[in-house]
Amino acid sequence: MISTPICDMLGIKYPIFQGGMAHIADGKLAAAVSNAGGIGIISAMNCDSKYLKEQINIAKSLTDKPFGVNVMLMSPYTEEVAAFLAEEKVAVITTGAGNPSRYMDIWNRAGIKVIPVVPSVALAKLVERAGACAVIAEGGESGGHVGDLTTMVLVPQVSDAVKIPVIAAGGIGDGRGVAAAFMLGAVGVQLGTKFLLAKECSVHQNYKNKVLKATDISTIVTGKRLGHPVRSLRTPFSREYSKFEYSNISDEDLEKMAVGALRLAAKEGDEKKGCFLAGQIAGMLNKEQTSKEIVEEIFEEAETILNGAKVWVK
Ligand code: TUI
């Protein structure tokens, strides 16, 4: 059995978080992952607290296990959503795409476990001082908004720099990735792309099919010019976007090109205009499973690998 300090801290069976994927990670998926023994996460994305309340109620109707909410700090609703979550007292808040320090006090006072996603050692130290109870060190192999560093170099450096538990994210898709993350100093993992293929994940079937077809080199990072690099599958949209990114188009027009593209991919499965966020492990994925099957298979594999690792020590 694999059990780490993050299991004790959150009262969960397996040290695994489901990534807070915008337009995808809803109350139904979060409840399924929490029922499987991990921490399911609802994405607050660019939505107001009314939407979030609905999703929280759905999750509560489906599970009595703890679950979390991911706050995307670039959302125009962050302020409102932050106050709402403090009242709602969700078990866990993860944050992404920014520095959550200004909200940390109200969340901590509400007894919420705050676990920011960090792309660097500097931000990990800063959020530790501000009251985070753990950090998710996310490497640029992940889907969505990415930092510069890989998981391989980020996780050990963050683990050395902070005293709070470190959860690894980015490039993890099976038990080998979990075992490797533990060797780098992590005591938990967060997976996003893998949960796109969960049976309880309501993302459009075209999205799932694209992930199933992906190879090792199927993703691309766009958006560096605007300071928001995003990893997605190579599609007509991402090719077009990257062509314009290096043309003399204005920043405003470039920004406009991406508006609504995530929603079009997730909800409509629009293969031309959609932006299909996915991590570099997409090429490893070849089956749809329930969240329970995903979690149990990954930890069974990780346990076998970790138990067998001694074979290399002579
Ligand atoms: O946030 C994510 N992944 C995301 S957010 C998202 S929505 C979006 N769409 C277009 C552009 C931007 C966002 C889709 N996927 N992952 C966690 C993450 N956080 N990755 C990187 C960061 C990050 C980056 C900079 C966290 C903090 C940060 O700090 C900068 C600062 O303000 O100090």
Side-chain angles (χ1 to χ4, degrees):
M1 193 180 96
I2 290 176
S3 190
T4 74
I6 210 77
C7 297
D8 304 330
M9 182 187 274
L10 304 179
I12 54 177
K13 184 169 177 199
Y14 297 104
I16 181 168
F17 287 40
Q18 159 246 316
M21 301 167 283
H23 296 287
I24 297 172
D26 57 11
K28 182 179 163 202
L29 178 62
V33 176
S34 290
N35 281 332
I39 281 279
I41 304 274
I42 297 169
S43 167
M45 48 177 177
N46 280 337
C47 286
D48 59 12
S49 46
K50 182 170 169 285
Y51 164 86
L52 206 48
K53 176 82 186 154
E54 282 164 18
Q55 295 305 318
I56 288 173
N57 285 344
I58 290 172
K60 281 184 178 163
S61 74
L62 297 171
T63 187
D64 53 7
K65 301 270 192 311
F67 60 88
V69 170
N70 174 259
V71 177
M72 206 279 282
L73 294 161
M74 281 167 49
S75 160
Y77 295 100
T78 303
E79 203 77 38
E80 181 212 323
V81 159
F84 163 73
L85 290 174
E87 262 173 53
E88 188 70 21
K89 299 190 194 309
V90 284
V92 174
I93 292 179
T94 63
T95 64
N99 175 356
S101 298
R102 58 194 292 227
Y103 307 110
M104 218 83 109
D105 277 348
I106 56 160
W107 290 338
N108 276 334
R109 274 202 299 273
I112 297 167
K113 302 268 190 312
V114 186
I115 311 186
V117 173
V118 297
S120 66
V121 165
L123 194 62
K125 285 168 133 173
L126 199 148
V127 297
E128 179 180 48
R129 277 200 304 277
C133 69
V135 284
I136 302 170
E138 186 184 271
E141 298 94 320
S142 66
H145 187 36
V146 288
D148 281 335
L149 300 178
T150 61
T151 303
M152 186 83 155
V153 299
L154 180 65
V155 172
Q157 293 186 74
V158 169
S159 299
D160 284 347
V162 298
K163 292 195 179 68
I164 52 181
V166 176
I167 293 140
I172 305 171
D174 61 16
R176 294 172 296 181
V178 173
F182 283 13
M183 294 300 97
L184 297 174
V187 292
V189 291
Q190 175 170 282
L191 278 61
T193 306
K194 178 80 177 172
F195 284 110
L196 289 171
L197 296 181
K199 297 236 166 95
E200 300 86 355
C201 177
S202 315
V203 76
H204 197 282
Q205 190 61 39
N206 289 354
Y207 205 130
K208 298 194 186 210
N209 292 345
K210 279 194 176 306
V211 172
L212 286 166
K213 273 206 213 128
T215 70
D216 56 342
I217 55 167
S218 291
T219 70
I220 181 174
V221 174
T222 55
K224 280 194 178 146
R225 180 174 136 190
L226 298 178
H228 309 303
V230 166
R231 183 180 297 285
S232 66
L233 294 176
R234 287 177 202 271
T235 58
F237 168 82
S238 65
R239 284 200 193 92
E240 179 89 346
Y241 188 95
S242 78
K243 200 169 80 197
F244 277 103
E245 193 167 9
Y246 297 101
S247 74
N248 55 8
I249 187 178
S250 71
D251 283 1
E252 291 73 34
D253 285 347
L254 189 63
E255 201 148 0
K256 269 191 218 141
M257 266 186 79
V259 172
L262 289 184
R263 198 198 62 79
L264 276 179
K267 302 285 187 219
E268 322 274 335
D270 188 326
E271 307 205 8
K272 287 214 173 71
K273 296 194 217 110
C275 176
F276 294 77
L277 302 183
Q280 289 181 313
I281 58 111
M284 288 171 29
L285 306 182
N286 51 27
K287 57 182 186 238
E288 298 181 44
Q289 293 169 294
T290 64
S291 298
K292 188 168 186 290
E293 286 164 349
I294 290 175
V295 171
E296 288 177 358
E297 187 177 278
I298 284 175
F299 280 92
E300 206 181 296
E301 191 186 4
E303 194 169 326
T304 306
I305 291 171
L306 290 168
N307 276 329
K310 267 199 179 149
V311 73
W312 304 115
V313 185
K314 306 287 182 211

